């Protein structure tokens, strides 16, 4: 026999709950609704919403005249301009935390560009939120995924050592990785006083890191549930795996292997900010019953 516990803090973050709740409300009213990009990076939840009628489009060129939902990740100003020019109705579900970050980047840009400085952004290149943030200032942002990219930027002359820089983070990144990157940045500049560090990681997300690390250590096995496209899923899974080598990432219960489990194991089930609670409960149920594919 194994015992199974679901991490009480895993599951959708507030921004995703808000966006999906709005989408469901409109769909239940019979509205023909499209989402500009995947409303959440979880295949199981996308399939559930697709069955309710939500259509996912890659660009406004695919809009069919009905309302278009802006997901929690946010969009650049150009998206709103295009929608206005085409008289498209937008349902804006940009996360309030992301909206504040967009404003902060615009304000910082006005400060630093006037004195030859620049804006740095710790985030995943090409991520929807990052594209929306960079778009606030016409893309004039240096996106950094890690310390190696920061070093390359200095070596290539893309960051001036003698001009002010302001650095921000994508809201769902690792607080510890961001801290290390900022420390390195301060050391590379002619003076650390030239660096302004903004604490822009979502506090709801940041608080999960310490909690999840303790959760992973407190169980024999961790089953981490996340969609393949979830950036936050990769960050949190790596955190769990470092804390507990018997950590396995899956997208659904059918991917569980009985080889991972031993009699008497205490199994923890957790997931990303894009993983729905119902899916965590489904996985926990499969573990308790022993009814999974392999």
């Amino acid at each position: 026999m194994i015992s199974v516990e679901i991490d009480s803090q895993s599951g959708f973050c507030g921004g995703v709950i808000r966006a999906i709740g709005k989408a469901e409300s409109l769909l239940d009213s019979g509205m023909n609704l499209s989402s500009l990009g995947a409303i959440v990076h979880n295949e199981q939840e996308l399939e559930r919403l697709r069955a309710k009628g939500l259509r996912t489009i890659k660009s406004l060129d695919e809009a069919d005249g009905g309302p278009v939902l802006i997901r929690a990740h946010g969009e650049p100003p150009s998206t709103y301009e295009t929608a206005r020019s085409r008289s498209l109705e937008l349902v804006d579900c940009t996360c309030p935390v992301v909206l504040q970050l967009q404003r902060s980047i615009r304000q910082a840009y006005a400060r630093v560009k006037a004195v030859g400085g620049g804006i740095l952004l710790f985030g995943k290149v090409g991520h929807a939120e990052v594209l929306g943030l960079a778009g606030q200032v016409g893309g004039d942002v240096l996106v950094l995924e890690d310390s190696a990219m920061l070093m390359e930027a200095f070596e290539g002359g893309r960051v001036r050592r003698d001009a002010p820089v302001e650095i921000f983070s994508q809201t769902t990144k690792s607080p510890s990785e961001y801290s290390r990157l900022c420390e390195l940045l301060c050391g590379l500049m002619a003076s650390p006083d030239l660096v302004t560090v903004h604490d822009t990681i979502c506090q709801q997300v940041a608080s999960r890191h310490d909690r999840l690390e303790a959760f992973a250590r407190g169980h024999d096995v961790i089953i981490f549930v996340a969609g393949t496209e979830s950036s936050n899923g990769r960050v949190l899974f790596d955190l769990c795996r470092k804390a507990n080598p018997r950590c396995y990432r899956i997208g659904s219960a059918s991917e569980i292997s009985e080889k991972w489990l031993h009699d008497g194991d205490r199994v923890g089930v957790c997931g990303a900010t894009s993983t729905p609670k119902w899916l965590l409960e489904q996985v926990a149920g499969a573990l308790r019953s022993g009814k999974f594919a392999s």
Side-chain angles (χ1 to χ4, degrees), residues 129-179:
E129 181 188 322
V130 169
L131 293 174
L133 295 172
Q136 302 303 311
V137 292
D140 193 10
V141 170
L142 180 58
V143 180
L144 305 166
E145 292 191 346
D146 51 35
S147 297
M149 288 183 72
L150 177 62
M151 293 298 297
E152 289 172 6
F154 271 94
E155 291 165 2
R158 286 179 289 159
V159 180
R160 287 179 52 184
R161 297 176 186 269
D162 60 349
V165 295
E166 299 200 25
I167 185 167
F168 299 82
S169 173
Q170 180 182 333
T171 59
T172 55
K173 296 296 284 182
S174 162
S176 59
E177 288 182 20
Y178 184 45
S179 178

Side-chain angles (χ1 to χ4, degrees), residues 107-291:
Q107 293 164 357
Y109 187 78
R111 289 191 295 267
V112 298
K113 292 308 288 186
V115 290
I119 299 293
L120 307 182
L121 176 61
F122 175 49
K124 180 184 175 185
V125 174
H127 187 278
E129 181 188 322
V130 169
L131 293 174
L133 295 172
Q136 302 303 311
V137 292
D140 193 10
V141 170
L142 180 58
V143 180
L144 305 166
E145 292 191 346
D146 51 35
S147 297
M149 288 183 72
L150 177 62
M151 293 298 297
E152 289 172 6
F154 271 94
E155 291 165 2
R158 286 179 289 159
V159 180
R160 287 179 52 184
R161 297 176 186 269
D162 60 349
V165 295
E166 299 200 25
I167 185 167
F168 299 82
S169 173
Q170 180 182 333
T171 59
T172 55
K173 296 296 284 182
S174 162
S176 59
E177 288 182 20
Y178 184 45
S179 178
R180 287 193 293 271
L181 186 73
C182 293
E183 184 177 350
L184 175 61
L185 173 63
C186 289
L188 291 169
M189 297 293 286
S191 167
D193 294 336
L194 291 168
V195 180
T196 300
V197 176
H198 295 270
D199 181 10
T200 55
I201 294 175
C202 172
Q203 289 306 303
Q204 185 183 3
V205 173
S207 66
R208 293 190 182 189
H209 283 249
D210 289 342
R211 156 76 188 183
L212 207 53
E213 189 172 16
F215 183 81
R217 287 202 179 104
H219 293 80
D220 299 307
V221 181
I222 292 294
I223 304 298
F224 188 90
V225 189
T228 56
E229 297 301 314
S230 173
S231 177
N232 173 254
R234 281 188 283 275
V235 171
L236 294 181
F237 173 66
D238 286 343
L239 178 76
C240 287
R241 188 168 52 180
K242 287 176 183 176
N244 185 338
R246 290 181 67 191
C247 181
Y248 306 96
R249 179 173 174 170
I250 63 171
S252 66
S254 64
E255 298 173 37
I256 301 169
S257 171
E258 62 182 13
K259 296 177 183 177
W260 302 341
L261 308 171
H262 304 149
D263 189 39
D265 276 342
R266 292 165 300 134
V267 181
V269 176
C270 53
T273 56
S274 54
T275 305
K277 281 283 189 184
W278 66 261
L279 184 55
L280 295 172
E281 291 165 357
Q282 190 178 85
V283 168
L287 286 164
R288 292 186 181 111
S289 68
K291 295 179 180 178

Side-chain angles (χ1 to χ4, degrees), residues 33-178:
L33 182 67
S34 298
S35 170
L36 184 56
I39 192 171
V40 65
H41 290 148
N42 184 275
E43 295 84 357
Q44 308 294 320
E45 179 67 3
L46 286 175
E47 183 57 38
R48 186 185 73 84
L49 292 170
R50 192 177 299 118
K52 293 176 75 70
L54 182 64
R55 180 170 171 255
T56 300
I57 59 176
K58 293 182 179 179
S59 76
L60 293 179
D61 293 336
E62 301 175 44
D64 58 6
V68 177
L69 183 141
I70 301 298
R71 54 195 172 163
H73 299 100
E75 285 287 325
S78 58
T79 295
Y80 297 87
E81 293 164 8
T82 299
R84 279 194 296 271
S85 70
R86 299 181 184 180
S87 299
L88 293 172
E89 178 186 351
L90 296 181
V91 179
D92 197 344
C93 291
T94 304
C95 173
V97 176
V98 174
L99 280 174
Q100 178 57 51
L101 176 49
Q102 290 178 346
R103 286 192 290 269
S104 296
I105 286 179
R106 292 195 298 269
Q107 293 164 357
Y109 187 78
R111 289 191 295 267
V112 298
K113 292 308 288 186
V115 290
I119 299 293
L120 307 182
L121 176 61
F122 175 49
K124 180 184 175 185
V125 174
H127 187 278
E129 181 188 322
V130 169
L131 293 174
L133 295 172
Q136 302 303 311
V137 292
D140 193 10
V141 170
L142 180 58
V143 180
L144 305 166
E145 292 191 346
D146 51 35
S147 297
M149 288 183 72
L150 177 62
M151 293 298 297
E152 289 172 6
F154 271 94
E155 291 165 2
R158 286 179 289 159
V159 180
R160 287 179 52 184
R161 297 176 186 269
D162 60 349
V165 295
E166 299 200 25
I167 185 167
F168 299 82
S169 173
Q170 180 182 333
T171 59
T172 55
K173 296 296 284 182
S174 162
S176 59
E177 288 182 20
Y178 184 45

